[in-house]
Amino acid sequence: MSQPTTFKNYQRESRLFTSRIIASTVIVALMVLLLLGHMYRLQVLEHEKYRTDSRENRVKLRPLPPTRGLIYDRNGVLLADNRLTFSLEITPYQVKNLEETIARISKIVTISEKDRQRFNRLRRQYRRFDSVPIRINLSDEELARFAIESHLFQGVDINAFPVREYPLKELTSHVVGYVARISERDLMTLNESEYSGSTHIGKTGLEQSYEQVLHGKVGVQQVEVNAAGRPIRVLSRNPPQSGRNLYLNLDTRIQETAMAAFGEHNGSAVAIDLATGGILTMVSKPGFDPNLFVDGIAHDIYQALLKSPDKPLYDRAIKGQYPPGSTVKPFVAWAGLSSGVAQFSGRTYCRGYYTLAGQSHQYRCWKKSGHGSVDMGVAITQSCDVFFYDLAQRMGIERFGKFMSPFGFGQKTGVDLVGERSGVLPSPEWKRGAFGQVWYPGETVISGIGQGFFLVTPLQLATSAATMATGGIRKTPRLVAHTQLADDEKTRTPVPAETFQFKMSAGKGHDQIVDAMTMVVEGAGGTARRIASDAYRIAGKTGTAQVFTVKQGQRYDEDKVSKYMRDHALFIAFAPADKPRIAVGVIAENAGHGGSVAAPIAKEIMDAYLLWGNDDRW
Amino acid sequence: MIGGSSFNADMSRGGGGLKRRNLAELLRLDLPLFTGLLLLSGLGLIVLYSASGEDMGQVKAQIIRLSLAFGVMLALAQVPPQAMCRWSPVLFGIAVILLIAVLITGHVGKGAQRWLNLGLFRFQPSEIMKIALPMMLAWFFSLRDLPPKLLSLSVAAVIMLVPVLLIAKQPDLGTALLVTSSGVFVLFLAGISWRLIIGLALAIAGGAPLAWSLLHDYQKQRVLTFIDPSSDPLGSGYHIIQSKIAIGSGGLYGKGWLNGTQSHLEFIPERHTDFIFSVFSEEFGLTGVVLLMCLYLFIIFRGLYIASAAQNSYNRLLAGSLSLAFFVYLFINTGMVSGLLPVVGVPLPLVSYGGTSVVTILAGFGILMSVHSHKKLLSI
């Protein structure tokens, strides 16, 4: 160690070394200052920015979907429920061997190829810590089987969530409608923040028209998440507000009765509670199973429903437009009296057909041999066409329209459903607007018996009958009586109904018209005698609407016409005739004569409402 | 004989006989340095508890490693520097052989061959080189007149290049740079002229494009990300962005111990190892950072003082370069996590979780203590 060179240069080396140590110290100090300066910039000058970044990193807003309101009928029967369903879900990042796990699961619960496809599709859309359903709608048995072995499956969990269910299926399908997954189209119109947590939205029926009420208000919670986005804890919570329940005027028992009364026929029936305007029953047959739509309907089933000639998805009650046929005769009679064109006792001679002056075209009466000399009462009771051809002709189309419209013809009723159609009360203006053609006098003639351009919906049949029954009180028909929050009676809110009232004074023949309508059911020549009842008196009017136009000089032969071209059977009624409580409108498609098919359906509905409450059939 | 001579030296310095010798002197520990290291390690454990997600198991494991490393330090403090000097070429030779062995049979860890598995434990020969290279160069220059001539500088450059290239080949750019720097410090302290230093710096700047072409893709990516972290916010830039958010959101006083959201919610990558400084800065703020830097500076300056007080060129060069290397670990790590330097896998000395670097660092301080406690009283 003690070499001479070391000693020789010791002082010089020592000085050099000391200067280098000093230089090092200065450099170290400067670099630390540089570092601290950088830290000062980050932690003091730019602190606000980084504090915000840090907060945005960890705090995320998560929507809390509200619970959808339920739908009950007037007796508390559940029409739309939120049923808890169970699904088996895999959190992929917690599972080592996905294929092997799925294989083991499939030994416990059935997993179809479709389930696998859905799993693979959703897996790509979800984040890796999200659980992805491998099987939905587990049965109770499968649930129990998996629960026993669940400890063997890490990262596989049973998840419960509410699914909309319609226990009565076809029976109330058109009234209640259905919810389905929110579509791209829905997203364009709805308030996205309100629906940020929701998966479903009302698509048809009350589910659609009361969407705002049923849906409720979305809640929100602030969640602290980690870097992987996994929630760690809830920082704050603004709970969702459940949707309101709907309580209907509809009575499921009457609905069942009406549906059954149609037998094999398609058609529609609506009954209205005259005291409130509430809809007691609203049938559109055939119905469909709305549960099919809730989680996406299979393509082939949907196509079958769409293409069926029975049109099960079509809500006939508010969208079906039919010629009212003879059911308009009491209203035309009132229009005649009211306009001063006719007297109730005034007579017209029916020889089986009617002709306009100077024209050869014969407007036929349904009774080929003719009714002879008839007054207004007999004309209504026996449904004489010639009498009403003549009356309409004498009134002229302008007055005809003016005195018919108070009954609501040609106007939407304002029912609490979306998609209602207005029907057609024919007029020259309407025809010009619809076809760009002039009005012909013959079209006035056939309007008098509810043919030609005249169209009504089944709902309008019922509301016009109700207006006749109450002597001019036309109420907005309502399916929903009131809404309320869950079981909280205090939050009960009735659904308002408007009333359009006009004077139908008894002196102007209203009583006589009602009497004549009573004779339709009770009289010797009445067209609906088969439904005469001892229990209460019925005022009604039959009708037959032509689907297939019979050419001049030809006879309509039911057997020769295909099923879908046969006449529709119609009936309107209200009861009890002297103090009416219920009004009914019925259309039985392709069922022939109104008195034989449609009237008995109306009778069943009225019986159900007026009589069954008094005995123990319910 | 060596022990005896130093005993005499101590006797004469103390002047008051055995009674005045305290325990630290007896163990040949430098009390200021020892206290600083102990404080830093203790602080490191406190930060580690938070950074590990309050995992006492990791803290205990680190305590065991620290104890082992302090043991190594204590042991090395007993070895006289003269012995170290004699064995320097041998140690260096062994380290080079081990590096070659790693390249041949190297255990694959983290995508690079760095580890050598000795059955009982695994270790990185490149860590040994962090000490072996400065020892070798200090030995080399201690035999020559200083400042060194160009010829001896050329030889020194070859001595440096062999291990650095071997480590770079693993590939472990970070360690290669650290090893290079520890060698460069010896050259700097040995007194190579400022003109040469500036010339070399210019040469390196000129050679950068060539070096760039030799880099691996992931290394290029790191440099690119360093230049603009936001260019790849979800990839490599993510680490730096999140680390800067952690540091910046700490503010002046920090979010408080165990309250760092960036670390506890796992936004900071490698939070208990390389990025532990971000955790510290987030929870203790600028105040904590300044105090931590003071502690580090105290240790570094104490090391430089020991070097300046050393009595021969081997001791000086070695003690000085080890102290400066310690500073380089600190600067690279803190510079990296705060976005001042590119991401290089260098732990925060004595604070980051992990055994190898702790042992290397405390071994270095053991040498410093040996240098300081084996001084002879010279009358020149």
Side-chain angles (χ1 to χ4, degrees), chain B residues 334-372:
Chain B
T334 52
M336 161 188 88
V337 301
S338 62
L340 210 54
L341 297 173
V343 176
V344 184
V346 175
L348 184 65
L350 291 185
V351 175
S352 285
Y353 181 79
T356 323
S357 80
V358 168
V359 171
T360 315
I361 287 160
L362 286 181
F365 284 110
I367 293 170
L368 275 163
M369 288 183 182
S370 155
V371 165
H372 201 54

Side-chain angles (χ1 to χ4, degrees), chain A residues 251-294:
Chain A
D251 188 321
T252 310
R253 297 169 301 189
I254 304 179
Q255 185 87 351
E256 253 167 30
T257 307
M259 190 68 104
F262 271 92
E264 65 197 37
H265 294 294
N266 292 337
S268 175
V270 179
I272 287 172
D273 175 358
L274 295 177
T276 62
I279 295 172
L280 293 166
T281 184
M282 192 180 223
V283 167
S284 176
K285 189 170 175 284
F288 59 93
D289 182 359
N291 295 302
L292 292 173
F293 288 86
V294 175

Side-chain angles (χ1 to χ4, degrees), chain A residues 135-151:
Chain A
R135 241 310 289 280
I136 53 172
N137 262 328
L138 290 174
S139 69
D140 289 348
E141 198 196 320
E142 287 173 317
L143 199 61
R145 267 207 307 261
F146 184 80
I148 293 168
E149 305 207 29
S150 60
H151 64 279

Side-chain angles (χ1 to χ4, degrees), chain A residues 80-91:
Chain A
D81 191 10
N82 298 323
R83 188 171 58 89
L84 217 51
T85 61
F86 298 90
S87 64
L88 208 56
E89 308 200 342
I90 298 179
T91 311

Side-chain angles (χ1 to χ4, degrees), chain A residues 15-68:
Chain A
R15 263 204 317 277
L16 178 68
F17 185 74
T18 307
S19 78
R20 287 295 157 105
I21 288 288
I22 290 167
S24 303
T25 308
V26 171
I27 292 170
V28 165
L30 284 177
M31 286 176 88
V32 168
L33 276 180
L34 169 74
L35 191 74
L36 286 176
H38 179 62
M39 296 301 284
Y40 177 79
R41 200 182 77 191
L42 291 181
Q43 298 195 292
V44 177
L45 300 182
E46 295 175 1
H47 171 60
E48 283 302 316
K49 167 186 160 3
Y50 288 118
R51 198 178 62 176
T52 311
D53 285 354
S54 159
R55 187 175 165 73
E56 281 174 3
N57 255 346
R58 70 182 181 101
V59 179
K60 297 276 182 269
L61 294 179
R62 293 278 156 91
L64 296 169
T67 310
R68 196 175 177 84

Side-chain angles (χ1 to χ4, degrees), chain B residues 156-178:
Chain B
V158 174
I159 292 172
M160 264 175 70
L161 227 53
V162 170
V164 166
L165 288 179
L166 284 173
I167 294 167
K169 185 119 178 75
Q170 288 182 353
D172 186 350
L173 198 68
T175 309
L177 278 173
L178 291 177

Side-chain angles (χ1 to χ4, degrees), chain A residues 289-304:
Chain A
D289 182 359
N291 295 302
L292 292 173
F293 288 86
V294 175
D295 253 310
I297 187 166
H299 181 75
D300 49 340
I301 299 176
Y302 185 55
Q303 286 302 316

